[in-house]
Amino acid sequence: AHHMDVKREIDKYVEKRSKESLEYILKKMQEEKLNSKDLVEGLEEALTSTTDSIRKNGIRLVIEVLTKEMEDGITPGSAFVTFFVAKLKDHACIEEGIDGIYLLRSLVTADLSAETSKSLLSTTVQSLPQKFRNKVFETLQILCTKFPKKISEVSTFAKEFVDAMDGEKDPRCLQLCFWIVAFVGSSCKPKDLTPVMEELFDVTSCYFPITFKAPKNDTFGITAEDIKVNLSMALKSTTLFAKYVIEFIPEAVEESKEEQTTVDALNLLADCLEVYSVDDIKQYLPKLRQFYNDIYMTQVSSNQTSVGLLSSSCRGIQALGRILCPDTVGGFKVTGVKHYSSVFVGALVEQHSRRINETFASREILKAIASSSSNAFSHVFNYIYPGIKGCIESDTSKPSHRHQNVEMLKDLVEIQNRQVKGGLDSTVEISIYSEAYEVVLKASKGGYPEQRQAALTCMGGLVVYATSLPDTSEEKLPIASAIIALTEALLEDEDFGVRQECLNVLVNLQEYQKLITSLKETVARILEIALGTLNDSKKSEENINLAATKEEIQVTLRRLSLKDWSASICLPALIERAIKFLDKIPKGDSKICRTLLETADEILSDILKTREARKEQKKEGRQKETLEVVFSACASLIDALMEMCRKTEVPHGIIRSGIKVIQKGLRIGDIEQHIDALMTAFDKDFPNSSSISSNFTPKTGAQIQILCGLISNVPLTLIPISSTKIYNNFHSFCFGVLLPFIFSSPSTSNTQAVESAIVCAAVIFNTLPAKSKSLENWIENEFEKLQDNVLNAKDGRSEVLAKLLVYIVKALIVRNHPKTKKFGSALFFLLDGGNQKVRSIAAKGFGKIFDDTDSFSLGASGHLNCSKFYKQKFLMENIRRLVKVRESKKEEKHNEKEESHLLALSYMLREAPLRLFRSKLSVLVPNLVYAMKIKNDVLAIPALFAISKVLPYSLDVIKADAASLITRFLELSRVRDKGARVKALECIRTLTLLPYNILHPNKIKVINALAKCLDDPKRAVRKAAVACRNAWFMKKGL
């Protein structure tokens, strides 16, 4: 009586199923706090009506209300499940009942699960539309997952499901059906399954072969492979299917005309065999034997290129070998297995062992049997090894046959190693493997390169097997002899592929701790030969016929030095030899020394990479101890280089290579060792830095370059602030040596040393403690003097001092020094008052502040005092002084000062992150456009790089200047700088985002100009030109 309006709308809905009525009912129920139980009471007449449509609409309304409640987080009672289950008995309302159960599928209780599944299966499922069949099967899957015990206890479940699945064609439903079949096979009681097993197999296997092809743009993502996997899971879910599977697969293969169908059938059989036992298949062994023999004789042997047929056949044979030749554990034995093994496995081995020389397929089948179990391996190896041995040792064997037998032996050894690694015991006598070693040793001395390669790989496998033998074993394999043979082949074999395979084998053998003693001799021998070749000696101390090239020897040495123990042998020797050759530098012979240092540098690079990986595995300690000798060698190299610099002028190439080696070598030690090495160098060459004369020589410059390279590599920020002696040394070196050296060096001399000194000084300025009085005093008293010296210096020193100022400014700004504004003003001071070169350096300095890839930012091993927001602060403080409000149509005169400001702005915006200034594009872009218009490529190219970054976000700003910009971009597309040409073409392409009426007048000009760019000698430019031309052609209306 209180809700007559709702009642009226309910009546309308059940009669006409009005959408408006539904919306009104849902709204009113929410406003008046009515629930689904109230609705059912109001629907009593409709739900008991004799009119089918009214009952259907009444149930549909209940579903809609329940859906809304569940969306609002209200959980309906389980009574509604019973309600919808009851509706399944009403033939007219089956679909609504299914929808209701599907909606509440997560609310079904254990007590209701059996009744729900029975009711769903009692409906004539295959007469329903696809979406309802899918809901039935999905609901059954959920019930089987949640209540497996309750469902499996329903004795009629299997029979009723067979009827429900029979005739299903939709792939989405089939996926669910195959899952339920797997559940039935694995969970239901055998007594319930046996009566319906044949029917269940028939309704499942009838879908083989799977020929489903997903339609284009399929939203469900179902593939034929998915259905094959689910079919396999269903058929291997119970061993009760064994009889039917073994009878079905041969028939399917016989009837098939497609190779893929045969492959799928063989894979399906292999999947099923993996879960069967001897008792399941013993009566079918003759049939399986005949089946696989027919496959081999009729298809595989005649079509050896079919990898699918062979691999799927081998999978099945391997599964049978695992069943018939099981590995015994704890004395357990399977009765009757030996007999069945001889019937099937023994016959196969006998058949295919005679065809090793003839067919690849026979060799693969034998390997499949051998890999199935340890017992099967023993049977195969003992049966075929005498024949393999005889063929390899016989002088009358064909070379191809000998090669095939070596390959077979190699593969068998690999299988044995895999099994031993997996925890299985070898059942082959060690004496046989010792004999096999002699066989492969002979094979490695002659024949095809492929044969030698296989023999050497087999030899490596035998060595690996030897590492698994207990130390107490009386019989041993000749490990040392095998490694010597591998080493000789590595150095002397005439074929490059064989040498590379030997190298790979030796590198892999380094993983085994037992082999380190023997391998040390190999590494030492190769090291001696390498040093001989690096010395350009034609013969080493051991008179061998060396086939490997000099470059190959270097690569070999590098790869064999990746382990800590091998690196501790090679690196000190290389560095010591390089130190000896330093004495020959005054005679003009520096090539060998540089080659030795470069080789050491490459080895150290690899070591540091593996060291990082060791850190993650927490194995760093052992490597530190082992590589102590490497650290010591690098410290000796510092002394040697510094001593040589005192005597003579050392080539820059030697210094650079030496610094690289020392930098990487010192990283092996800890920071205290690193600092000690530096302090030693300081004390020897600069004991009293404050008294150093300003009259620096090239020799002093080389020493400074070495020390600067080492200081820049030290993580200075990790040094405790309490270590005042260390900081005092760095301070005195910076202010007593570096700065005077830089001040006294013209731009044309000691270039490398000066650049290193500038970067090193910047690193020290950045990393000195914040409260360093010497740093603050220098800033207070000397900083302005440095600015004046930049403007007043002669003999090219102004450019050097300008670079120094820029780097010092960056070092202090990056650490967010309180006087940041003062440092920014220093750049403006150079920008406004210096000569052309100084102004250019200062302008680049504005961009260098933001550059994270320069030598300063990459220095100090990444450890710098770096503020989080220094870029934002510097940009906000200085950008206003560089920009000017401009009107696009007004012509303005410019001077050198304004050009310098525009150049600085261009470099700044080129390097600064876009997010820092995107809100100011309306002011910044007109300045860049103005810079582009100036006929000065030195200014235009940096402006081009800057405008290319902001152009997509500022098209409205440049509309009025589009024509002039197109002309300027086309001009810059022909400059010498490849990067500028690419950026110019990218900008022209971006302009196609402008409206048609702006671009149309320029179309012919652009297309004609792009024709020349299409013939550019650089591929990147041609690629950009093609993309640009396509964009202009595709522009609507052009």
Side-chain angles (χ1 to χ4, degrees):
H2 296 291
H3 307 291
M4 294 303 296
D5 53 344
V6 178
K7 176 63 175 170
R8 185 170 54 254
E9 293 301 326
I10 288 175
D11 293 339
K12 285 184 181 180
Y13 183 85
V14 297
E15 288 180 7
K16 299 182 180 179
R17 203 164 173 176
S18 168
K19 184 178 180 182
E20 292 78 11
S21 298
L22 176 61
E23 292 174 354
Y24 182 85
I25 293 168
L26 294 175
K27 180 180 178 183
K28 276 296 183 180
M29 288 184 69
Q30 187 173 12
E31 291 175 354
E32 301 182 15
K33 298 183 179 180
L34 299 175
N35 57 34
S36 50
K37 292 182 179 179
D38 299 325
L39 176 70
V40 173
E41 292 177 4
L43 281 171
E44 185 176 354
E45 293 181 8
L47 296 175
T48 58
S49 172
T50 57
T51 306
D52 291 348
S53 62
I54 292 178
R55 295 198 309 278
K56 288 168 65 74
N57 291 340
I59 299 172
R60 182 60 58 187
L61 181 57
V62 175
I63 294 171
E64 296 290 351
V65 172
L66 288 173
T67 302
K68 183 67 170 65
E69 286 185 351
M70 293 176 73
E71 289 175 355
D72 295 337
I74 302 171
T75 303
S78 59
F80 279 100
V81 177
T82 306
F83 170 79
F84 288 118
V85 169
K87 297 306 173 185
L88 293 178
K89 298 177 182 179
D90 186 347
H91 181 73
C93 302
I94 288 177
E95 294 180 359
E96 284 69 23
I98 292 172
D99 274 341
I101 295 173
Y102 182 78
L103 176 67
L104 304 178
R105 60 193 182 278
S106 60
L107 303 178
V108 179
T109 62
D111 295 335
L112 294 174
S113 60
E115 183 183 354
T116 303
S117 64
K118 283 182 180 180
S119 300
L120 286 171
L121 291 174
S122 65
T123 61
T124 311
V125 178
Q126 289 304 315
S127 65
L128 298 172
Q130 185 276 332
K131 76 172 185 176
F132 292 104
R133 300 200 308 275
N134 193 80
K135 288 181 178 180
V136 169
F137 293 130
E138 187 174 343
T139 305
L140 288 172
Q141 183 188 39
I142 292 171
L143 294 177
C144 293
T145 304
K146 289 180 66 176
F147 313 108
K149 187 175 181 181
K150 285 285 185 180
I151 300 299
S152 62
E153 289 176 352
V154 179
S155 59
T156 59
F157 183 79
K159 171 61 178 172
E160 291 173 347
F161 175 72
V162 168
D163 296 335
M165 178 182 174
D166 192 10
E168 183 58 62
K169 294 181 180 179
D170 183 74
R172 289 162 287 177
C173 295
L174 279 178
Q175 292 279 75
L176 298 169
C177 287
F178 289 150
W179 188 95
I180 297 171
V181 170
F183 169 81
V184 170
S186 59
S187 302
C188 290
K189 299 176 181 177
K191 66 176 184 178
D192 298 330
L193 278 178
T194 304
V196 297
M197 186 52 61
E198 187 172 358
E199 295 178 64
L200 184 60
F201 179 80
D202 288 341
V203 298
T204 306
S205 62
C206 66
Y207 295 101
F208 184 87
I210 304 297
T211 57
F212 170 75
K213 291 184 179 180
K216 290 184 179 179
N217 304 319
D218 180 26
T219 57
F220 300 101
I222 298 175
T223 64
E225 197 60 36
D226 295 332
I227 302 176
K228 291 176 186 178
V229 170
N230 282 282
L231 175 62
S232 173
M233 289 177 60
L235 293 180
K236 70 179 184 180
S237 60
T238 173
T239 57
L240 295 176
F241 277 147
K243 169 187 175 181
Y244 305 103
V245 170
I246 295 173
E247 290 179 353
F248 171 75
I249 294 299
E251 294 175 2
V253 171
E254 186 177 352
E255 294 174 1
S256 69
K257 296 181 180 179
E258 298 290 334
E259 181 183 313
Q260 186 58 47
T261 301
T262 304
V263 172
D264 291 342
L266 290 168
N267 282 325
L268 181 58
L269 178 58
D271 290 339
C272 294
L273 288 172
E274 288 175 354
V275 300
Y276 294 162
S277 65
V278 175
D279 291 334
D280 297 322
I281 65 170
K282 59 185 179 182
Q283 58 184 316
Y284 307 110
L285 283 177
K287 186 168 187 175
L288 289 169
R289 168 81 176 83
Q290 186 61 44
F291 170 67
Y292 278 111
N293 185 65
D294 292 343
I295 290 291
Y296 172 77
M297 298 303 295
T298 60
Q299 298 193 49
V300 174
S301 60
S302 62
N303 187 16
Q304 292 195 41
T305 58
S306 176
V307 178
L309 276 173
L310 181 57
S311 63
S312 54
S313 298
C314 289
R315 278 191 62 216
I317 292 172
Q318 185 175 354
L320 285 165
R322 197 174 292 117
I323 297 169
L324 301 174
C325 300
D327 294 312
T328 58
V329 180
F332 172 75
K333 296 183 179 180
V334 182
T335 306
V337 167
K338 186 173 182 181
H339 166 70
Y340 299 130
S341 172
S342 62
V343 169
F344 186 89
V345 176
L348 275 178
V349 172
E350 182 180 355
Q351 175 188 352
H352 292 285
S353 62
R354 296 192 296 267
R355 301 171 64 87
I356 290 177
N357 298 334
E358 300 173 13
T359 67
F360 172 73
S362 289
R363 295 191 294 275
E364 290 298 305
I365 290 171
L366 288 170
K367 286 191 287 183
I369 298 172
S371 60
S372 61
S373 69
S374 179
N375 285 333
F377 175 85
S378 175
H379 179 74
V380 172
F381 189 89
N382 291 328
Y383 192 91
I384 68 174
Y385 172 70
I388 292 175
K389 176 187 174 185
C391 179
I392 295 174
E393 292 183 336
S394 174
D395 296 332
T396 60
S397 299
K398 291 183 179 179
S400 59
H401 290 177
R402 192 180 296 116
H403 172 216
Q404 299 301 341
N405 279 268
V406 172
E407 289 280 358
M408 188 68 198
L409 185 57
K410 178 200 76 172
D411 294 335
L412 288 174
V413 171
E414 289 178 356
I415 292 169
Q416 176 73 98
N417 284 332
R418 285 200 301 269
Q419 291 181 345
V420 170
K421 190 175 181 180
L424 299 177
D425 295 330
S426 173
T427 54
V428 179
E429 294 181 6
I430 299 175
S431 59
I432 297 179
Y433 281 129
S434 299
E435 186 179 279
Y437 164 72
E438 299 297 335
V439 173
V440 295
L441 179 62
K442 179 179 179 180
S444 67
K445 302 296 184 181
Y448 296 146
E450 292 80 4
Q451 173 189 311
R452 301 199 301 275
Q453 191 169 325
L456 291 164
T457 305
C458 182
M459 195 181 298
L462 289 170
V463 173
V464 171
Y465 174 73
T467 62
S468 67
L469 299 176
D471 296 332
T472 57
S473 176
E474 295 181 1
E475 297 186 65
K476 301 284 186 181
L477 286 172
I479 294 177
S481 174
I483 292 178
I484 290 172
L486 286 165
T487 306
E488 290 176 352
L490 171 66
L491 297 170
E492 300 181 29
D493 197 283
E494 60 186 17
D495 184 76
F496 176 76
V498 175
R499 297 197 299 272
Q500 287 300 299
E501 183 61 27
C502 286
L503 178 58
N504 293 334
V505 171
L506 288 170
V507 169
N508 292 334
L509 292 180
Q510 288 185 324
E511 301 292 334
Y512 298 91
Q513 190 69 23
K514 286 185 176 181
L515 303 178
I516 289 179
T517 303
S518 298
L519 287 172
K520 280 184 178 179
E521 298 177 4
T522 294
V523 172
R525 183 182 182 191
I526 293 173
L527 173 65
E528 191 60 35
I529 294 170
L531 292 175
T533 58
L534 293 174
N535 294 353
D536 292 332
S537 303
K538 293 183 179 180
K539 294 184 179 180
S540 63
E541 294 179 7
E542 301 178 49
N543 190 16
I544 64 171
N545 184 21
L546 188 64
T549 63
K550 179 178 179 180
E551 292 75 17
E552 194 178 335
I553 290 290
Q554 286 179 267
V555 172
T556 299
L557 191 63
R558 177 179 173 183
R559 288 193 61 190
L560 287 175
S561 302
L562 290 179
K563 294 296 178 182
D564 46 2
W565 60 265
S566 56
S568 65
I569 296 173
C570 296
L571 280 170
L574 285 169
I575 294 172
E576 289 170 10
R577 187 64 62 93
I579 291 172
K580 290 181 180 179
F581 275 91
L582 283 174
D583 295 333
K584 297 186 179 181
I585 289 176
K587 302 176 184 178
D589 188 5
S590 63
K591 181 180 177 182
I592 297 174
C593 180
R594 188 170 179 178
T595 302
L596 289 163
L597 290 174
E598 287 173 352
T599 305
D601 176 47
E602 291 172 349
I603 293 172
L604 280 166
S605 297
D606 293 335
I607 289 174
L608 289 173
K609 289 177 184 177
T610 56
R611 188 166 178 254
E612 290 300 319
R614 280 178 173 268
K615 278 184 180 180
E616 296 178 3
Q617 300 172 8
K618 299 181 180 179
K619 295 181 180 178
E620 184 184 6
R622 203 184 94 213
Q623 189 178 19
K624 264 190 183 177
E625 295 174 7
T626 311
L627 292 181
E628 191 72 33
V629 63
V630 179
F631 185 91
S632 301
C634 290
S636 301
L637 182 58
I638 297 176
D639 294 339
L641 283 173
M642 297 294 279
E643 180 65 29
M644 183 55 59
C645 289
R646 297 186 200 106
K647 296 178 180 179
T648 186
E649 189 171 346
V650 182
H652 292 303
I654 295 292
I655 293 176
R656 282 196 303 271
S657 299
I659 289 174
K660 286 181 181 179
V661 170
I662 296 168
Q663 284 177 339
K664 293 171 183 175
L666 293 185
R667 286 184 203 168
I668 292 172
D670 54 27
I671 188 169
E672 288 79 10
Q673 292 175 306
H674 201 151
I675 296 299
D676 288 343
L678 281 175
M679 293 303 102
T680 303
F682 277 140
D683 294 339
K684 285 185 178 180
D685 292 278
F686 301 100
N688 186 8
S689 300
S690 59
S691 63
I692 293 290
S693 170
S694 60
N695 185 22
F696 292 98
T697 65
K699 299 177 185 178
T700 310
Q703 291 176 305
I704 290 174
Q705 182 181 351
I706 294 169
L707 289 176
C708 288
L710 301 184
I711 291 173
S712 297
N713 187 57
V714 179
L716 299 177
T717 55
L718 300 184
I719 302 174
I721 296 178
S722 58
S723 303
T724 54
K725 180 181 178 182
I726 296 174
Y727 280 112
N728 288 338
N729 275 316
F730 285 138
H731 167 268
S732 60
F733 182 66
C734 178
F735 295 105
V737 177
L738 293 183
L739 294 183
F741 172 68
I742 297 168
F743 273 82
S744 64
S745 298
S747 60
T748 54
S749 65
N750 292 332
T751 307
Q752 299 289 336
V754 171
E755 291 287 345
S756 299
I758 289 173
V759 173
C760 183
V763 170
I764 294 175
F765 268 84
N766 176 267
T767 52
L768 283 175
K771 296 181 180 180
S772 172
K773 292 183 179 179
S774 56
L775 175 63
E776 296 303 320
N777 289 337
W778 190 91
I779 294 173
E780 188 68 30
N781 302 320
E782 303 295 331
F783 187 75
E784 292 184 1
K785 291 181 183 179
L786 176 59
Q787 298 179 51
D788 295 334
N789 286 335
V790 173
L791 301 184
N792 300 326
K794 298 179 181 178
D795 299 330
R797 288 191 176 91
S798 58
E799 291 86 349
V800 174
L801 297 179
K803 289 180 182 178
L804 173 64
L805 182 64
V806 167
Y807 270 97
I808 290 176
V809 165
K810 176 171 182 177
L812 296 173
I813 287 175
V814 166
R815 69 182 293 173
N816 197 19
H817 193 278
K819 297 181 180 180
T820 302
K821 288 186 179 180
K822 177 179 181 179
F823 306 136
S825 299
L827 294 181
F828 278 101
F829 180 77
L830 301 186
L831 202 63
D832 297 338
N835 58 38
Q836 185 177 357
K837 290 183 178 180
V838 171
R839 291 199 303 271
S840 177
I841 293 171
K844 291 178 181 179
F846 281 88
K848 191 171 286 293
I849 301 296
F850 300 90
D851 186 5
D852 295 328
T853 60
D854 65 351
S855 52
F856 167 77
S857 298
L858 298 177
S861 300
H863 294 280
L864 293 171
N865 285 324
C866 186
S867 170
K868 289 183 179 180
F869 302 107
Y870 76 90
K871 293 181 180 180
Q872 292 91 322
K873 185 176 179 181
F874 180 79
L875 188 137
M876 293 299 104
E877 288 178 350
N878 296 282
I879 199 167
R880 294 177 182 175
R881 298 176 62 179
L882 293 175
V883 300
K884 178 180 178 182
V885 178
R886 302 181 185 277
E887 298 179 9
S888 58
K889 295 183 179 180
K890 184 178 179 180
E891 294 185 4
E892 302 180 43
K893 295 182 179 180
H894 60 274
N895 52 38
E896 290 184 356
K897 178 180 177 181
E898 188 171 15
E899 284 192 19
S900 299
H901 281 231
L902 290 171
L903 185 61
L905 177 67
S906 299
Y907 278 115
M908 179 187 284
L909 299 185
R910 174 180 177 174
E911 300 294 341
L914 179 61
R915 65 179 184 277
L916 299 184
F917 59 88
R918 187 169 175 177
S919 61
K920 299 177 175 60
L921 291 182
S922 59
V923 178
L924 297 175
V925 172
N927 284 269
L928 295 176
V929 172
Y930 182 72
M932 291 286 297
K933 293 180 180 178
I934 298 174
K935 300 296 182 180
N936 181 358
D937 287 352
V938 174
L939 171 59
I941 290 176
L944 170 65
F945 279 89
I947 205 170
S948 67
K949 180 192 289 189
V950 303
L951 191 58
Y953 312 100
S954 54
L955 293 172
D956 291 338
V957 182
I958 58 95
K959 277 184 182 179
D961 298 293
S964 59
L965 279 177
I966 290 173
T967 301
R968 193 70 177 111
F969 287 147
L970 290 174
E971 292 173 354
L972 292 173
S973 68
R974 296 188 293 274
V975 296
R976 187 174 182 179
D977 187 342
K978 181 191 79 170
R981 299 202 301 273
V982 172
K983 287 295 179 184
L985 292 169
E986 290 176 354
C987 289
I988 297 171
R989 181 186 178 187
T990 304
L991 289 177
T992 58
L993 300 174
L994 289 171
Y996 161 73
N997 61 325
I998 296 176
L999 298 179
H1000 179 68
N1002 301 282
K1003 176 184 176 181
I1004 301 300
K1005 178 171 65 175
V1006 171
I1007 298 300
N1008 291 338
L1010 289 177
K1012 296 180 180 179
C1013 298
L1014 293 172
D1015 293 329
D1016 194 279
K1018 298 296 182 180
R1019 182 180 179 277
V1021 179
R1022 297 196 301 272
K1023 184 178 179 180
V1026 170
C1028 181
R1029 184 184 63 172
N1030 291 344
W1032 276 78
F1033 273 121
M1034 294 295 291
K1035 179 67 177 177
K1036 187 176 180 181
L1038 286 181

